[in-house]
Amino acid sequence: MGHGGGGALSAELIEQIFAPAYGNALLAGMTDSAVLHLGGARLALSTDSYVVRPLFFPGGCLGDLAVNGTVNDLAMSGARPAYLSAAFVLEEGVELAVVERIARAMGAAAETAGVTIATGDTKVVESGHGDGVYVTTAGVGLVPERVDIRPQRARPGDAVIVSGPIGLHGVAVLSVREGLEFGVEIASDTAPLADLVATMLDVTPDVHVLRDPTRGGLAASLNEIARASGTGVRLTERALPVPEAVANACGFLGLDPLYVANEGRLVAFVPPTDADAVLEAMRSHPQGAGATRIGECVTEHPGMVVVATGLGGTRVVDLPLGEQLPRIC
């Protein structure tokens, strides 16, 4: 299970098994979506599978994730998502009403995101060989000229900005999975981010890095960026936008919010000269209303992420080994 958690074991699986088998320059970038040149157009291509348990949770369901997750992976390259495919694996015995509810949620999410589900596939496996419903979506979108967003472009001095409160999705899924109550309902943040990204690029096409911190949370995304760019990342603990309910839940469960998954947030590395303008534009958008500058890219400790604590110390935020909360996306 740890190999699917988005941490060190996932990286090991990719680097030792998949990358050597498929090895090519496009794959070597290890981004959420590949940017391709085809027929004179710059296209972004991405694919992802969704295996969340339970299928329905506060703020969303498997259907929302299957659309928003792939839309957001495309958006992290600066693309305007256009078309998706949808492949279902159904377990024998799952109620058709459940499948219909998920399909309708996907249709509504696609309409909200401005994409079309244009093709798909369905398979059925024997009872006991699945978990109700699995969905895989792939997507394509157009990448504007002059936009070059990838983790290798992080530079010392870049402002590190997160688009809103973190940890909501992972805690929301866990609460219903384990029947936990925290005094207030915590809803997933699942949402499409392509329009927010377009708003940021209207300010400057020179956004260096974008990443949606899903599996492995903000910690995994920042470590991947630091290692890909050979720079360090320094965060300010007091600036991290952790909602009180998430902090309380994580404290109760022994979790670190930095490692908890999100489904409607992005982290951006922006040149310092553009940071204030980008931050202001993000806050003017519904999906970026809670945008916060949480740190900066530095020359010190290359390839590492550290947090300046409220007590004046510093702690290392390492790449997680596996996943604190499996099956959350």
Side-chain angles (χ1 to χ4, degrees):
M1 290 301 295
H3 283 90
L9 289 176
S10 290
E12 179 183 90
L13 184 68
I14 293 168
E15 292 167 4
Q16 297 184 9
I17 302 295
F18 297 126
Y22 308 152
N24 58 72
L26 286 171
L27 189 64
M30 295 296 173
T31 50
D32 287 336
S33 59
V35 176
L36 319 171
H37 292 81
L38 188 64
R42 294 181 74 209
L43 299 177
L45 172 68
S46 185
T47 187
D48 208 341
S49 296
Y50 300 87
V51 296
V52 66
R53 180 171 57 85
L55 298 174
F56 305 94
F57 46 84
C61 70
L62 175 66
D64 303 312
L65 294 187
V67 171
N68 292 337
T70 296
V71 163
N72 292 346
D73 283 346
L74 294 170
M76 294 308 104
S77 64
R80 266 293 187 181
Y83 297 100
L84 301 183
S85 68
F88 279 72
V89 176
L90 308 177
E91 183 183 13
E92 177 188 16
V94 66
E95 296 179 6
L96 291 179
V98 170
V99 180
E100 181 181 16
R101 185 177 170 190
I102 291 170
R104 288 187 177 276
M106 290 181 67
E111 183 176 1
T112 298
V115 297
T116 299
I117 299 176
T119 188
D121 182 52
T122 305
K123 295 293 189 295
V124 178
V125 298
E126 297 88 346
S127 179
H129 291 266
D131 194 14
V133 183
Y134 299 148
V135 178
T136 296
T137 52
V140 293
L142 285 171
V143 182
E145 292 299 325
R146 299 197 303 139
V147 170
D148 180 18
I149 299 174
R150 47 194 171 88
Q152 294 81 5
R153 292 200 67 217
R155 298 287 184 270
D158 281 357
V160 179
I161 299 171
V162 68
S163 63
I166 62 173
L168 291 165
H169 175 72
V171 173
V173 171
L174 182 66
S175 66
V176 291
R177 180 188 299 173
E178 305 298 339
L180 301 174
E181 296 184 5
F182 302 111
V184 60
E185 182 178 82
I186 301 175
S188 171
D189 57 0
T190 178
L193 298 173
D195 195 57
L196 173 62
V197 171
T199 297
M200 297 166 66
L201 295 177
D202 283 342
V203 175
T204 173
D206 193 34
V207 173
H208 287 168
V209 188
L210 292 172
R211 185 64 62 92
D212 59 331
T214 53
R215 291 179 303 168
L218 193 59
S221 293
L222 292 176
N223 270 280
E224 291 166 0
I225 295 166
R227 295 181 184 190
S229 62
T231 60
V233 176
R234 182 171 60 226
L235 307 178
T236 301
E237 187 173 54
R238 288 177 175 170
L240 296 173
V242 181
E244 183 178 1
V246 170
N248 291 341
C250 288
F252 176 74
L253 297 167
L255 303 175
D256 186 335
L258 284 172
Y259 293 91
V260 177
N262 313 271
E263 286 292 343
R265 299 288 179 257
L266 64 79
V267 60
F269 283 58
V270 180
T273 52
D274 298 316
D276 288 342
V278 169
L279 190 57
E280 182 179 357
M282 293 175 72
R283 288 172 174 168
S284 70
H285 191 281
Q287 298 303 334
T292 305
R293 184 169 179 166
I294 60 171
E296 61 183 340
C297 196
V298 296
T299 55
E300 297 83 9
H301 50 79
M304 294 177 60
V305 180
V306 303
V307 174
T309 69
L311 298 176
T314 302
R315 67 181 176 95
V316 175
V317 179
D318 206 353
L319 189 69
L321 180 64
E323 174 61 89
Q324 294 184 105
L325 308 173
R327 302 288 301 279
I328 44 77
C329 63

